[in-house]
Amino acid sequence: MYERVVRPTLFRIGRGDAENAHETTLRWLARTGRSRTATRALAAAARARVDAPRTVFGVRFPSPLGLAAGMDKDGRALAAWPALGFGFVEVGTVTARAQPGNERPRLFRLPESVAVINRMGFNNAGASALAARLDAIGPLAVPLGISIGKSKVTPMADAVGDYVASVRALRGHGDYLAVNVSSPNTPGLRTLQDAAVLADLLGALQGELAGAKPLLVKIAPDLSDEAISELLEVCVAHDVAGVIATNTTLRRDGLAPADAVLAGEAGGLSGRPLADRAREVVAFVHKQTGGRLPIIGVGGIATADDALRLLDAGASLLQLYTGLIFRGPALVREINRGLPAEQA
Ligand SMILES: Cc1cc2nc3c(=O)[nH]c(=O)nc-3n(C[C@H](O)[C@H](O)[C@H](O)COP(=O)(O)O)c2cc1C
């Protein structure tokens, strides 16, 4: 149904600008989520089966498959995601200050490659607005992660204070916080992955959190093994609860010839061409930490097999975004059905 009817319609809506399709989808899911009857109907239509619970960093997840950050930045459709079968949702990335993001168009579909390039640039309503929305909504059906990034107007030298302000606004909400230091679309952001700088940032954030929430770090797929090793040492030294691997890539390998014209668009590439590298990073993190640091594996999951391979590589939890654009809720259903039964 999604691939035959919904996707062609959405792609037509988004012909001039793919973001139009995104906005239509989110608006529709937000509206659906406001009615309990409509949400139940959505769950029935999606035939979601969620019965592979896991407890990771002290949080119980009804399914290890979550919605990745960036799809629902401001938490507008929070009731709808569990109805589609997601076992958790990561909202954000939000920043201390509301910001419009980059100029449109800033989202490009590469259908032959089952991929997307985006340079959204953290368009979001701000950390306080998200806190207010979460207050109004009350408890959710599944665990919630909140991704935090740096406001564009804040100079890199003041980055720590900017992240701290977001944590202060949001530390009473969600089940974990994710520090996004890996988006390629905020100038300088990825330099926060350097060990010394990251140590300062994590020290300040853990100080602010005072154990209130698990803190995770989301990393780029473009780091060298050496840089990842150093980063992991800092994470472990600062009691980070887990690593999210990976964000989008600046590389352009593995694109279909038909998508070559869009390869030159600035931004991060996600979807199928990212799958191998994401799995490699997950396996590397798993090996380097002796399996002791939980990993959320994300990048290019387009089939149930992709999901299983990321779990085999050492991920405890999974997320996806781009696969949903191309395959719709059937992908979530297919993955949930293929998951091994209960672990720990
Ligand atoms: C349009 C778009 C916006 C995104 N925005 C964010 C974001 O705000 N924060 C973040 O941590 N990751 C963001 N991501 C990255 C995804 O969360 C994910 O790490 C990446 O897309 C790889 O997974 P996928 O191949 O399943 O999409 C975004 C991805 C896309 C496609």
Side-chain angles (χ1 to χ4, degrees):
M1 166 75 172
Y2 178 83
E3 288 183 47
R4 262 185 304 115
V5 181
V6 181
R7 185 177 71 186
T9 310
L10 282 173
F11 281 18
R12 217 171 305 125
I13 292 169
R15 196 181 288 151
D17 180 350
E19 195 173 339
N20 292 335
H22 169 81
E23 284 177 335
T24 302
T25 306
L26 202 55
R27 215 177 305 124
W28 186 81
L29 288 173
R31 199 177 317 129
T32 302
R34 277 194 288 276
S35 149
R36 233 181 254 170
T37 312
T39 305
R40 265 198 297 264
L42 179 66
R47 288 182 284 132
R49 197 184 74 189
V50 176
D51 57 2
R54 289 169 174 51
T55 299
V56 187
F57 45 79
V59 177
R60 186 171 167 84
F61 295 83
S63 155
L65 178 64
L67 179 70
M71 171 74 208
D72 192 2
K73 290 184 195 265
D74 293 313
R76 289 165 53 198
L78 285 173
W81 302 114
L84 292 180
F86 285 107
F88 66 109
V89 179
E90 190 170 309
V91 293
T93 296
V94 293
T95 52
R97 293 163 179 250
Q99 57 183 40
N102 291 323
E103 230 172 85
R104 291 169 71 158
R106 52 193 180 178
L107 177 65
F108 306 89
R109 273 192 304 262
L110 289 69
E112 298 300 321
S113 313
V114 198
V116 158
I117 291 176
N118 93 83
R119 52 168 179 272
M120 306 299 287
F122 296 163
N123 52 308
N124 79 102
S128 306
L130 178 61
R133 172 168 280 145
L134 294 174
D135 274 335
I137 297 172
L140 299 172
V142 297
L144 178 73
I146 302 175
S147 171
I148 287 167
K150 184 189 79 71
S151 313
K152 191 173 180 192
V153 292
T154 301
M156 283 307 294
D158 302 331
V160 172
D162 191 84
Y163 279 85
V164 166
S166 289
V167 167
R168 202 168 287 153
L170 285 161
R171 71 174 168 195
H173 297 87
D175 297 280
Y176 71 84
L177 292 183
V179 192
N180 184 356
V181 283
S182 48
S183 166
N185 301 317
T186 295
L189 195 85
R190 285 182 164 196
T191 61
L192 296 172
Q193 294 174 116
D194 296 349
V197 190
L198 186 66
D200 276 353
L201 177 60
L202 294 180
L205 297 186
Q206 292 290 35
E208 186 63 37
L209 273 173
K213 293 279 141 85
L215 185 67
L216 281 77
V217 174
K218 184 163 179 179
I219 67 174
D222 304 325
L223 294 171
S224 66
D225 285 359
E226 194 188 343
I228 297 176
S229 298
E230 287 174 16
L231 174 147
L232 290 172
E233 274 177 35
V234 174
C235 287
V236 170
H238 286 85
D239 281 332
V240 159
V243 163
I244 307 174
T246 68
N247 214 314
T248 57
T249 180
L250 288 171
R251 293 168 69 159
R252 294 292 185 264
D253 310 340
L255 294 182
D259 293 322
V261 272
L262 289 177
E265 289 293 346
L269 175 73
S270 57
R272 190 174 282 161
L274 178 58
D276 287 349
R277 178 58 188 155
R279 194 166 60 246
E280 213 171 78
V281 174
V282 166
F284 184 76
V285 172
H286 185 73
K287 187 181 88 188
Q288 287 297 108
T289 56
R292 282 185 296 274
L293 191 63
I295 304 167
I296 302 183
V298 49
I301 298 179
T303 65
D305 271 354
D306 294 335
L308 292 178
R309 274 197 290 267
L310 265 186
L311 291 174
D312 282 346
S316 303
L317 298 167
L318 303 170
Q319 292 176 330
L320 61 81
Y321 181 168
T322 305
L324 192 65
I325 297 175
F326 291 99
R327 302 251 354 256
L331 176 60
V332 182
R333 180 169 65 238
E334 181 185 306
I335 293 171
N336 272 319
R337 291 186 179 194
L339 286 169
E342 174 139 20
Q343 291 173 359

